[in-house]
Amino acid sequence: MPIANGFLTEDEFENEFFYNLAVGYCYDCEMVQLAELVPPEKLFTDKYPFFTSSSRNMIKHFAEMAEWIAIDLTPGAIKRPLVVELGCNDGTLLTELRAYPEIRTLGIEPSTNVAEIAIINGHNVVTEFFTEGTAQGIVEEYGQADVIVATNTMCHIPDLHEVFKGFQVLLKPDGYIVFEDPYWYAITAQTSFDQIYDEHVYYFTVKAVDDLASKYCFELVDVLPQAVHGGAMRYVLGFNKQHRPTSRFRYMHWMETKMDWDNKVNGDTFYQAAIYQGLDLAMSLVNMVRKDGKRVVGYGATSKSTTILNAAGIAPNILPYIYDTTPQKQGKFTPGTHIPIRPYKEFKDDDPDYVLLLIWNHAEEVLAKEQEYIAKGGKFLTHVPYVRIMDTS
Ligand code: TYD
């Protein structure tokens, strides 16, 4: 596989970087994770092209999360609570937290181009990877944190042990750690295997997070399923014995054990379904284009699409271009498959027979936005949870 967010120019084709994408499961700590890693310096650079604020639904999600942090995790009794966000990206959550002026915030973001946007928007940001050393520096300057939050960030960090050591230094004794990431059982349940790519080192489960937390004197207090990213889980942790674990946490723990028994989860079923899904998508596109003479274009040049397009071998001969709203991707080509990326604003004047919805996780938002295209008879093709023309009636 090429680098999932490695959108490139034509002159970069020749020296494109490839690695072996494989997933492993540890029978000891129960973690599902990548077997081979791309060095983070190759991924989170000054050209990192993902901006949290590119989705309206995500902004809404962060507004709700900010309210939850303010009301549930930093109640009035705490004076000027400090919320530190790991991987704050362009500062979307930090901005939503401004609605609660009592809260002090600090972002940590190693990708300097996205961090710059947060800084321009007036946020305090440390542009480094989070380590025990970074945590010590923060404590000296700002004091310990009441809440440490990380959304779709923890699964990107290869050395989680270093991060947990940092948590031990940074978190107040009765504070909370909150993180949410794509949930492994949501991926297996809907065969969204395109969530598997270089940046997603870990595919967390309640059991694996519980095991990891216990190694650092933390315990899982709560787990809250989220609809974002095609099914994510929010984990709430605290130092041992500071908070009472909820019955929801115990239930999810039990459910996961049951699912393992039912599906032999880390066994064959999911992988067979994944292979079938890739083949089915490629064959459907070939039939539409070659047999029926239809025109299909892509919608959303995402990191996920790098996995599905490369796994299914979908090249410009069957998908000539993809529309995307991110200016940094426009005019470039998709990693590995080299499909041109066009500015989204040109979509309105195009009239393709089908649109391949590569951002299936934003389906609701996209279908609401594209009512005009649908009214003209336009159709959306997608591959999650299985390959089909979407019912937009
Ligand atoms: P996302 O699924 O969040 O990305 P990833 O798989 O990389 O985590 O999608 C973000 C990309 O989708 C970003 O390049 C912007 C693009 N996009 C559109 O082009 N149109 C849209 O309506 C939305 C919501 C996103």
Side-chain angles (χ1 to χ4, degrees), residues 50 54-55 197 299-304 323-326 329 359 361-362 365-366 369:
F50 180 82
S54 66
S55 156
Y197 56 84
Y299 197 110
T302 61
S303 1
K304 289 185 289 296
Y323 287 108
D324 194 281
T325 53
T326 306
K329 295 180 186 175
I359 39 173
N361 50 320
H362 296 296
E365 181 172 344
V366 173
K369 192 159 76 177

Side-chain angles (χ1 to χ4, degrees), residues 17-86:
F17 179 83
F18 287 85
Y19 70 101
N20 182 36
L21 177 66
V23 193
Y25 169 71
C26 173
Y27 283 89
D28 187 20
C29 69
E30 310 209 42
M31 191 71 87
V32 179
Q33 67 185 80
L34 291 188
E36 188 178 311
L37 296 184
V38 175
E41 295 74 25
K42 270 197 186 307
L43 307 178
F44 308 110
T45 62
D46 57 351
K47 293 194 182 61
Y48 188 61
F50 180 82
F51 297 84
T52 307
S53 56
S54 66
S55 156
R56 251 183 277 156
N57 265 3
M58 287 311 292
I59 296 176
K60 188 164 157 265
H61 174 75
F62 285 123
E64 285 165 8
M65 188 175 201
E67 188 183 1
W68 173 76
I69 290 173
I71 293 172
D72 285 32
L73 304 188
T74 55
I78 307 176
K79 278 224 148 51
R80 304 285 292 136
L82 175 66
V83 176
V84 177
E85 186 186 12
L86 261 63

